[in-house]
């Protein structure tokens, strides 16, 4: 069942080149998701695609507690260099889907020594509450069935495949660990199965 509608599009010049920004509105809850498109994509085979979860602290404020903002910009750069690709920016994914308030509560517990998984569990919250049907539907809008996925997250790959998207390559988005996010990255690697070597 289709629940996203394409509601607007515009040219978006960025520091990484000129993209087209497409807004999709979810009829179930009014959420507005974004597809940032570079190059000719309609019916494309195996374009680079980044499925990016909204992260206010990392994407907007430049937080070093995570690597989200750095991954987003790295994806934009790789897509521009390749000449073709999509960034699917998914709303309501804050804190792996637990929301901004709970994410801050989890941060406070992390400052007391817990890791990101332990903090969610201590709050009685799911470790990861995200879903990816919106990403699959946006890909179908562009008539894209097979992609090269820009992600370290194996679960994201599995989820997209369950919606009929073929992943012909998974391209890691590796960042340089900092003192603030090293434990976070180690937890993603060891407990969540992310493809992050050499930590």
């Amino acid at each position: 069942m289709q629940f996203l509608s394409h509601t607007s599009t515009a040219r978006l010049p960025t520091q990484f080149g000129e993209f087209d920004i497409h807004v999709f509105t979810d009829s179930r809850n009014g959420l507005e998701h974004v597809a940032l498109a570079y190059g000719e994509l309609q019916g494309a085979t195996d374009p680079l695609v980044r499925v990016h979860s909204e992260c206010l602290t990392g994407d907007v404020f430049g937080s070093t507690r995570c690597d989200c903002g750095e991954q987003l910009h790295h994806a934009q750069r790789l897509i521009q260099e390749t000449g073709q690709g999509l960034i699917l920016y998914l709303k309501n994914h804050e804190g792996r889907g637990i929301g901004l308030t709970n994410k801050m509560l989890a941060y406070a517990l992390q400052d007391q020594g817990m890791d990101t998984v332990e903090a969610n569990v201590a709050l009685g919250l799911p470790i990861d509450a995200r879903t990816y049907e919106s990403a699959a539907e946006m890909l179908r809008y562009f008539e894209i069935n097979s992609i090269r996925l820009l992600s370290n997250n194996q679960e994201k790959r599995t989820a997209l495949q369950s919606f009929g998207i073929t992943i012909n390559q998974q391209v890691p988005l590796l960042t340089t660990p900092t003192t603030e996010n090293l434990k976070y990255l180690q937890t993603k690697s060891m407990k969540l199965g992310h493809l992050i070597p050499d930590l």
Side-chain angles (χ1 to χ4, degrees):
M1 179 179 175
Q2 184 173 322
F3 49 84
L4 288 189
S5 57
H6 183 270
T7 48
S8 61
T9 187
R11 183 178 63 88
L12 190 71
T14 77
Q15 61 181 306
F16 305 103
E18 185 172 299
F19 289 74
D20 290 320
I21 185 167
H22 300 259
V23 179
F24 295 82
T25 303
D26 191 320
S27 61
R28 303 169 300 175
N29 49 31
L31 287 174
E32 294 177 314
H33 304 288
V34 165
L36 203 59
Y38 193 91
E40 182 53 51
L41 287 163
Q42 205 67 31
T45 300
D46 294 340
L48 284 175
V49 174
R50 168 69 181 166
V51 178
H52 192 86
S53 295
E54 175 186 27
C55 177
L56 177 73
T57 49
D59 299 340
V60 177
F61 298 130
S63 169
T64 57
R65 296 185 75 126
C66 65
D67 61 340
C68 301
E70 195 173 350
Q71 282 194 327
L72 178 61
H73 293 153
H74 188 27
Q76 283 183 265
R77 190 177 299 110
L78 284 174
I79 286 169
Q80 188 274 332
E81 289 172 356
T82 304
Q84 183 188 59
L86 271 173
I87 294 172
L88 306 179
Y89 194 90
L90 302 182
K91 300 287 286 183
N92 208 34
H93 272 208
E94 194 73 55
R96 295 195 305 277
I98 63 173
L100 193 56
T101 294
N102 285 326
K103 179 178 171 179
M104 295 308 105
L105 293 172
Y107 274 180
L109 292 177
Q110 290 168 40
D111 285 339
Q112 296 171 29
M114 292 186 185
D115 65 35
T116 181
V117 169
E118 293 165 344
N120 281 30
V121 171
L123 291 167
L125 298 169
I127 294 170
D128 194 336
R130 293 173 294 180
T131 60
Y132 297 97
E133 63 264 43
S134 297
E137 193 162 325
M138 285 190 278
L139 287 170
R140 284 194 288 272
Y141 170 84
F142 291 100
E143 301 176 348
I144 294 172
N145 300 309
S146 63
I147 65 172
R148 290 180 292 149
L149 180 65
L150 286 166
S151 180
N152 305 325
N153 187 347
Q154 296 281 65
E155 288 297 319
K156 196 175 290 187
R157 176 189 186 123
T158 301
L160 290 171
Q161 288 173 326
S162 75
F163 291 113
I165 304 300
T166 299
I167 313 294
N168 279 327
Q169 185 182 9
Q170 185 169 348
V171 182
L173 272 180
L174 302 178
T175 60
T176 303
T178 68
T179 54
E180 287 286 351
N181 70 22
L182 178 59
K183 183 177 179 180
Y184 167 77
L185 294 175
Q186 289 172 333
T187 301
K188 288 209 295 185
S189 175
M190 292 184 290
K191 292 188 175 182
L192 299 176
H194 288 213
L195 304 174
I196 309 174
D198 303 325
L199 291 176

